């Protein structure tokens, strides 16, 4: 009973062997997964996949790195697609100060517009954060994102910031980085944050967990994330799998 809350099985990396990847995920105990679309091509592909597989759901939004490319028509398109019953979140959205393709002011504007859209269509949001924690927390507060809540995706921040986000109705999602030997912060978060507020993800094809680090990640590896959290917390793998799945279903409104 696993729920991978963030996959990119719509990426080119899975073009050749998606059926085998899906089979391995099901064999590993996958119950449901979310495929994330973050621009025109990946959103289109995500919408195809949710029609193809009954256990796959979609989150659709606009990535901050590409914020400069987004026009109003894209936002209206996302709003229209969000009416599909298997579109269960808006995003990934947020801020990325690592790459300099999109100026910070444009990223912030696109981020705010997507939060407002999510509130309008009453869906939770998926947050991408890279080197922009303070600005993200500030915008979430200013836009009253607490109203819809959501996910701090692939969380790599401090325990203190995690608690601040939980207060704003967000879940903390841990991915492959929690398995990395020197990943101090994700391990501290896994230990300190109650299982009631945790989710698991792969972010595949990126950030494969140990022992696959550096290789293509895939949904079946989410089991390794759950196992690592269980080891850190000193509880059973089954408890982690069950509770994180329950949390995801609650957030996304999936029965």
């Amino acid at each position: 009973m696993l729920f991978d809350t963030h996959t990119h099985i719509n990426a080119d990396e899975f073009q050749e062997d998606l059926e085998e990847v899906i089979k391995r995920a099901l064999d590993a105990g996958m119950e449901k997964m979310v495929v994330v679309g973050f621009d025109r091509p990946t959103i289109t592909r995500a919408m195809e996949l949710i029609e193809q597989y009954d256990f796959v759901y979609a989150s659709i939004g606009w990535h901050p790195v590409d914020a400069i490319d987004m026009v109003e028509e894209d936002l209206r398109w996302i709003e229209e697609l969000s009416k599909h019953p298997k579109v269960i979140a808006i995003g990934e959205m947020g801020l990325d100060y690592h790459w300099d393709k999109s100026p910070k002011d444009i990223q912030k504007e696109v981020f705010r517009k997507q939060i407002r859209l999510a509130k309008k269509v009453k869906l939770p949001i998926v947050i991408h954060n890279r080197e922009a924690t303070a600005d993200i927390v500030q915008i979430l507060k200013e836009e009253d994102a607490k109203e819809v809540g959501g996910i701090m995706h692939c969380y790599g921040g401090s325990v203190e910031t995690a608690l601040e986000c939980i207060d704003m109705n967000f879940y903390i999602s841990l991915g492959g980085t929690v398995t990395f030997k020197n990943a101090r912060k994700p391990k501290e978060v896994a230990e300190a944050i109650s299982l009631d507020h945790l989710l698991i993800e792969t972010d595949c094809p990126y950030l494969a967990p140990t022992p696959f680090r550096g290789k293509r990640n895939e949904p079946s590896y989410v089991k390794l994330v759950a196992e690592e959290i269980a080891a850190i917390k000193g509880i059973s793998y089954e408890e982690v799998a069950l509770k994180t799945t329950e949390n995801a279903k609650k957030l996304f409104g999936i029965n």
Side-chain angles (χ1 to χ4, degrees):
M1 185 177 277
L2 292 163
F3 197 135
D4 187 346
T5 60
H6 200 110
T7 77
H8 296 284
I9 57 167
N10 48 347
D12 290 344
E13 285 88 340
F14 295 110
Q15 249 182 345
E16 300 300 316
D17 64 343
L18 183 60
E19 282 302 320
E20 290 93 332
V21 167
I22 292 286
K23 185 182 185 305
R24 284 194 291 272
L26 295 174
D27 289 346
M30 187 72 67
E31 186 184 336
K32 297 187 188 301
M33 67 176 83
V34 175
V35 57
V36 179
F38 55 79
D39 60 13
R40 282 261 171 184
T42 59
I43 290 171
T44 300
R45 180 71 178 129
M47 298 305 291
E48 290 168 2
L49 289 167
I50 61 175
E51 296 293 351
Q52 197 174 344
Y53 300 102
D54 59 356
F55 52 88
V56 177
Y57 294 78
S59 177
I60 56 172
W62 210 267
H63 201 285
V65 170
D66 301 314
I68 197 164
D69 300 325
M70 197 193 85
V71 294
E72 287 301 317
E73 188 188 333
D74 295 317
L75 206 61
R76 287 193 293 271
W77 181 59
I78 290 168
E79 180 177 353
E80 189 59 35
L81 293 178
S82 73
K83 294 172 185 173
H84 191 295
K86 290 182 77 185
V87 172
I88 41 72
I90 303 295
E92 57 188 288
M93 65 175 80
L95 302 173
D96 191 314
Y97 293 169
H98 183 76
W99 306 106
D100 61 1
K101 181 185 170 187
S102 295
K104 289 180 183 179
D105 58 334
I106 292 176
Q107 288 193 40
K108 289 176 182 177
E109 183 190 351
V110 167
F111 185 20
R112 289 181 188 275
K113 283 179 176 177
Q114 290 185 87
I115 296 171
R116 291 167 193 166
L117 171 61
K119 288 165 72 174
K120 182 180 176 183
V121 299
K122 296 180 170 55
L123 287 175
I125 60 179
V126 177
I127 301 298
H128 171 100
N129 170 19
R130 192 158 185 195
E131 299 168 20
T133 301
D135 285 354
I136 279 180
V137 170
Q138 183 184 348
I139 288 171
L140 290 175
K141 286 178 178 174
E142 288 174 358
E143 294 293 337
D144 195 24
K146 185 175 186 176
E147 188 184 308
V148 288
I151 301 176
M152 304 308 290
H153 142 64
C154 209
Y155 187 77
S158 67
V159 171
E160 293 72 25
T161 301
L163 292 170
E164 209 176 342
C165 294
I166 289 164
D167 282 344
M168 289 190 286
N169 202 19
F170 280 79
Y171 285 87
I172 306 301
S173 185
L174 296 174
T177 51
V178 77
T179 70
F180 296 173
K181 192 177 175 184
N182 301 322
R184 183 176 55 84
K185 281 186 175 179
K187 290 182 191 294
E188 286 174 356
V189 166
E191 185 175 17
I193 300 302
S194 162
L195 203 51
D196 291 338
H197 303 294
L198 290 179
L199 298 172
I200 56 175
E201 63 168 273
T202 55
D203 196 22
C204 65
Y206 319 108
L207 296 173
T210 305
F212 302 105
R213 191 172 180 180
K215 297 188 169 76
R216 183 189 71 172
N217 199 1
E218 61 175 72
S220 62
Y221 298 166
V222 82
K223 188 172 187 177
L224 298 168
V225 176
E227 287 173 348
E228 181 68 19
I229 294 169
I232 291 168
K233 285 189 168 297
I235 58 179
S236 72
Y237 158 76
E238 287 76 17
E239 190 177 346
V240 174
L242 195 69
K243 187 61 184 169
T244 53
T245 296
E246 194 179 292
N247 292 344
K249 287 180 176 178
K250 182 180 173 187
L251 172 67
F252 296 134
I254 297 170
N255 295 325

